[in-house]
Amino acid sequence: MSYAKVLSVGLVGVRGHLVEVEADLANGLPMVALSGLPDTALNEARDRVRAAIVNSGQSWPHRRITVNLLPAALPKHGSGFDVAIACAVLAGAGELPLAALHEVAVIGELGLDGTVRPVRGVLPMVLAAHRAGVRRVVVPYANAAEASLVPGVTVRATDTLHRLVGFVLGRERLLDPPPVSALPAAGGPDLADVVGQPLGRRALEVAAAGGHHLAMVGPPGAGKTMLARRLPSVLPALDDEAALEVTALHSVAGVLPAQSPLVRRPPLQAPHHSASVAALVGGGSGLARPGALSLAHRGVLFLDEAPEFGARVLEALRQPLEEGVVRLRRSRGQTDFPAQVQLVLAANPCPCARPAGDLACDCTPLVRRRYLGRLSGPLLDRIDVHVSLPPLTAAELLDEQARGESSAVVAERVAKARAAAAARWAGHGWRVNADVPGAALRSPRWRLPRSVLAPVRHDLDTGGLSARGYDRVLRIAWTIADLDGRERPDRGDVCEASELRKGEAHG
Ligand SMILES: [Zn+2]
């Protein structure tokens, strides 16, 4: 036989596609031609595969070899086809009967010495294989735990090409995936560690319950960072579907922990303010990597010292925040990565970042305004909850009693509030109050009576509250009502909602 075919899986963005790897061996000048839209890394497979085959004790067929990857129109990236190519070439040369690999998708990169190396994106690849009706996969041992997260697929692993060849010849066994820890990875930091700061805690709880983006301005040491990092701890755990979706993105980025690969908690990403646009939105040559925005998908994107971020970086956030997806323009078409994030911004009130009341700070009101003005209007427009946090008092710092509730207690209220909101908006396609357009909240069905709106009436009439600001007050008021178990917001809810956007610089 001089022709053979082996199944593998390619990735575009975070979506896998079943790929057929064909090898045809003909007489003629010994050479290897690779076709089917390969990228540079894949083109180099020729050298890797040849060396790996020879170093695994097999002989390299000195013939005219054509390797073709189908479907031809699908761009192929990276090194994950190496093992499938090696098997197809050996089978085409008549050295390997492929019955054992019938209807099996083979994934993995080859080292020159014949070791099978892990690749990025194995989880979405195995999901794609399953979708295409393939029920058995062979993956690199280092990826076996994440591959085994896909229900309904039998996963076998190999560490070397030698072992896989031995298996196909009926002489060796493949490896079983290591046991995956059923327990979710240890939770992040707990709200119980946060001293004082009742306004900040309340803002965080409301943001969590309503899915609202949050902006916190306050002097260094006020606890902004501590609070932001604890937002995931009060959000609901990811359900099965969301967990696989998030884990797939982390898999493509190559950042999954080996032992407990399934991401069960909403992730948090806190890129440094020196981060590039690419670090935030993703990119890179070959198989694109998701950036911080997509690694925070269904979790929290925290921008500490937000005004220090470059204008281009902040600008790059706008479209993904609107659409919930990052669209990367690539040389060979577009790659989309999901990016539904809850945004948390923190900022010092002035560029010198000295503690409030410190005599060394002589920033003028104009300097302060300009500093916060670096956060563009369109970005701030998407944020519902804006609070200005006071510095911690010495009494708060010393008082052990100032410690607040634990994350578990707050998370329970958040879950109830989210359930109430989800039930109310179920017929409209909105999950959380932050999704609800202002026009809907102002419509007769949901409009609040004049008496309830009295606390903001004056500001509205005198122009102290813009139309957008008013919509924000309404959204937050509904969340507060949900948290407190009221069917509709009352006057007190509107009053508190108005406080929770007072930190907004304008509008
Ligand atoms: Zn200052």
Side-chain angles (χ1 to χ4, degrees):
M1 178 154 110
S2 58
Y3 170 87
K5 189 174 77 179
V6 176
L7 293 179
S8 190
V9 188
L11 269 189
V12 176
V14 76
R15 195 170 168 83
H17 302 266
L18 203 65
V19 167
E20 290 179 345
V21 178
E22 302 178 303
D24 182 75
L25 282 70
N27 293 326
L29 206 59
M31 62 164 288
V32 184
L34 196 62
S35 58
L37 278 187
D39 72 352
T40 317
L42 180 50
N43 249 315
E44 288 160 1
R46 285 183 283 204
D47 305 324
R48 285 192 301 271
V49 168
R50 187 199 325 251
I53 283 180
V54 172
N55 291 325
S56 299
Q58 304 292 314
S59 56
W60 178 257
H62 288 282
R63 298 172 68 184
R64 185 187 164 82
I65 303 172
T66 306
V67 174
N68 186 34
L69 282 74
L70 296 167
L74 182 81
K76 320 287 187 315
H77 299 290
S79 46
F81 302 107
D82 287 3
V83 181
I85 293 173
C87 291
V89 167
L90 286 175
E95 296 191 24
L96 215 53
L98 278 185
L101 292 183
H102 182 65
E103 293 287 291
V104 176
V106 179
I107 298 163
E109 175 185 314
L110 285 173
L112 299 179
D113 59 354
T115 54
V116 173
R117 292 179 174 165
V119 292
R120 292 190 280 134
V122 162
L123 177 71
M125 288 179 188
V126 177
L127 282 169
H130 183 263
R131 237 189 353 257
V134 173
R135 293 292 176 266
R136 291 187 298 156
V137 296
V138 175
V139 301
Y141 184 72
N143 294 127
E146 76 173 273
S148 67
L149 294 174
V150 181
V153 175
T154 304
V155 176
R156 290 289 175 272
T158 187
D159 48 356
T160 59
L161 181 62
H162 183 268
R163 182 188 295 278
L164 181 58
V165 168
F167 163 75
V168 173
L169 293 172
R171 294 197 298 242
E172 293 244 21
R173 285 179 53 83
L174 292 176
L175 305 168
D176 289 325
V180 174
S181 162
L183 297 170
D190 197 284
L191 262 186
D193 311 332
V194 177
V195 174
Q197 210 49 272
L199 175 64
R201 294 180 70 105
R202 181 64 170 168
L204 195 76
E205 180 171 338
V206 168
H212 307 285
H213 298 319
L214 167 66
M216 296 182 280
V217 175
K224 306 181 298 287
T225 308
M226 280 190 87
L227 284 164
R229 289 193 172 274
R230 284 157 179 78
L231 178 52
S233 72
V234 298
L235 292 171
L238 303 176
D239 61 24
D240 289 350
E241 194 192 331
L244 280 181
E245 201 177 289
V246 172
T247 306
L249 281 160
H250 289 230
S251 166
V252 174
V255 296
L256 284 182
Q259 283 315 307
S260 52
L262 189 64
V263 182
R264 269 288 177 198
R265 296 295 319 168
L268 177 127
Q269 288 285 311
H272 188 256
H273 56 69
S274 62
S276 64
V277 171
L280 214 67
V281 303
S285 59
L287 178 60
R289 277 176 203 271
L293 256 165
S294 295
L295 293 177
H297 177 56
R298 291 186 179 264
V300 177
L301 181 71
F302 173 41
L303 304 185
D304 204 358
E305 301 185 44
E308 304 284 344
F309 279 78
R312 282 185 55 236
V313 173
L314 293 173
E315 175 65 25
L317 285 172
R318 260 176 55 188
Q319 174 267 326
L321 282 180
E322 263 159 46
E323 300 181 35
V325 61
V326 168
R327 302 189 191 285
L328 296 174
R329 254 176 283 285
R330 319 267 301 155
S331 57
R332 295 191 293 171
Q334 176 175 293
T335 296
D336 292 351
F337 286 127
Q340 293 166 30
V341 301
Q342 191 166 359
L343 181 65
V344 178
L345 298 185
N348 295 315
C350 68
C352 81
R354 299 228 163 76
D358 191 319
L359 291 177
C361 169
D362 51 8
C363 299
T364 63
L366 179 65
V367 167
R368 289 171 168 243
R369 258 204 316 281
R370 271 204 194 128
Y371 184 65
L372 292 176
R374 287 188 203 167
L375 299 172
S376 69
L379 195 61
L380 289 179
D381 276 351
R382 306 200 61 81
I383 298 175
D384 285 340
V385 181
H386 295 252
V387 286
S388 186
L389 299 185
L392 287 182
T393 62
E396 276 176 320
L397 284 171
L398 294 174
D399 183 3
E400 276 295 304
Q401 301 300 313
R403 282 177 185 280
E405 294 167 309
S406 71
S407 291
V409 172
V410 177
E412 206 167 304
R413 281 197 300 270
V414 167
K416 278 191 187 139
R418 281 186 166 238
R424 180 172 57 242
W425 309 125
H428 304 269
W430 306 312
R431 286 174 311 118
V432 289
N433 293 332
D435 294 341
V436 184
L441 295 175
R442 284 180 266 111
S443 70
R445 174 93 172 78
W446 306 108
R447 188 159 48 204
L448 303 179
R450 281 186 76 84
S451 58
V452 166
L453 292 170
V456 291
R457 203 75 241 173
H458 176 76
D459 283 350
L460 205 54
D461 290 342
T462 57
L465 185 63
S466 69
R468 269 199 301 263
Y470 177 59
D471 289 345
R472 243 167 251 154
V473 169
L474 294 179
R475 271 196 289 270
I476 303 170
W478 278 98
T479 300
I480 294 170
D482 289 337
L483 274 170
D484 295 353
R486 270 183 292 284
E487 247 178 51
R488 282 180 164 249
D490 65 14
R491 196 182 160 118
D493 298 337
V494 171
C495 208
E496 190 188 355
S498 162
E499 290 299 316
L500 286 177
R501 55 156 296 280
K502 277 273 165 67
E504 200 175 349
H506 46 80

